[in-house]
Amino acid sequence: MVAALNRPAIVLAAGHGRRFGGNKQLARLPDGRLLLEQTLTHLRAATDRILLVIRPDLAHPMSEALPELWNSVVVVECPEAELGMGHSLAAGVTALPQDSEGCLICLGDMPWIRPDTYRRLLDTLDGDGILIPEYQGRPGHPVGFGQRLFDELRGCRGDRGARDVIRQHPTACRRLAVEDEGILRDVDTPADMREHGLS
């Protein structure tokens, strides 16, 4: 875990889950865990420096539902989350510790990513580039960014997230092949959970 100390993970969990029909982060999996709980548990096995970006109205229900995990992460409330993921991303990067060499941008609704995948990404990430995992040639999440790109990430707005930053720096992008299909699988609707055997 030491190798990842200066490369925190930012977990974006501020969405409304409109396609899901409610707050999907607190949807319960068959084993009793909540979706966000499983995501954070897998990530915590790779690093103990996690920033969780949420809407202010989610603070109380999440802290009630996940007291142990809640106390193990840095919670970043983003009042502008309603305006799109870019605002949540910018809030997370703005809250990074000053000594951060890079960061991993993670999505709260991707509970299938394995801890060893997070660990490999954090260990491989450097301070200058963009690190994108791929499974069988298909790019996925989470994406790592070196500190050189923090200023641009702080300027993200709307629903585009970091896509524009990635597009503007093609030569900085590096792919990391992983044997983890979880980097391609997220939850948008209840059907996604059924499809993957999680409900």
Side-chain angles (χ1 to χ4, degrees), residues 25-149:
Q25 308 291 355
L26 298 182
R28 199 164 289 280
L29 308 178
D31 65 1
R33 282 195 209 181
L34 305 178
L35 188 154
L36 180 61
E37 179 183 7
Q38 181 156 311
T39 299
L40 290 176
T41 298
H42 287 187
L43 187 54
R44 280 186 68 205
T47 179
D48 56 8
R49 296 188 76 175
I50 301 172
L51 288 76
L52 178 66
V53 184
I54 62 167
R55 302 192 316 269
D57 63 292
L58 294 178
H60 180 69
M62 283 188 177
S63 63
E64 292 268 300
L66 302 168
E68 182 180 345
L69 285 170
W70 187 260
N71 291 325
S72 70
V73 302
V74 175
V75 177
V76 180
E77 294 187 12
C78 179
E80 297 83 18
E82 301 266 359
L83 302 176
M85 184 186 293
H87 292 265
S88 297
L89 174 56
V93 175
T94 298
L96 284 170
Q98 289 189 347
D99 64 347
S100 299
E101 300 168 346
C103 68
L104 201 59
I105 305 298
C106 311
L107 303 181
D109 62 357
M110 298 188 76
W112 297 282
I113 299 172
R114 299 197 310 251
D116 62 293
T117 299
Y118 286 125
R119 196 174 297 114
R120 281 193 65 203
L121 286 162
L122 286 164
D123 287 345
T124 306
L125 178 64
D126 62 39
D128 292 318
I130 299 170
L131 185 63
I132 303 171
E134 65 175 19
Y135 174 75
Q136 296 184 354
R138 297 173 60 191
H141 294 278
V143 176
F145 293 87
Q147 62 182 347
R148 179 172 70 89
L149 299 163

Side-chain angles (χ1 to χ4, degrees), residues 16-28:
H16 277 280
R18 292 186 177 92
R19 282 186 287 174
F20 191 84
N23 183 9
K24 62 183 173 182
Q25 308 291 355
L26 298 182
R28 199 164 289 280

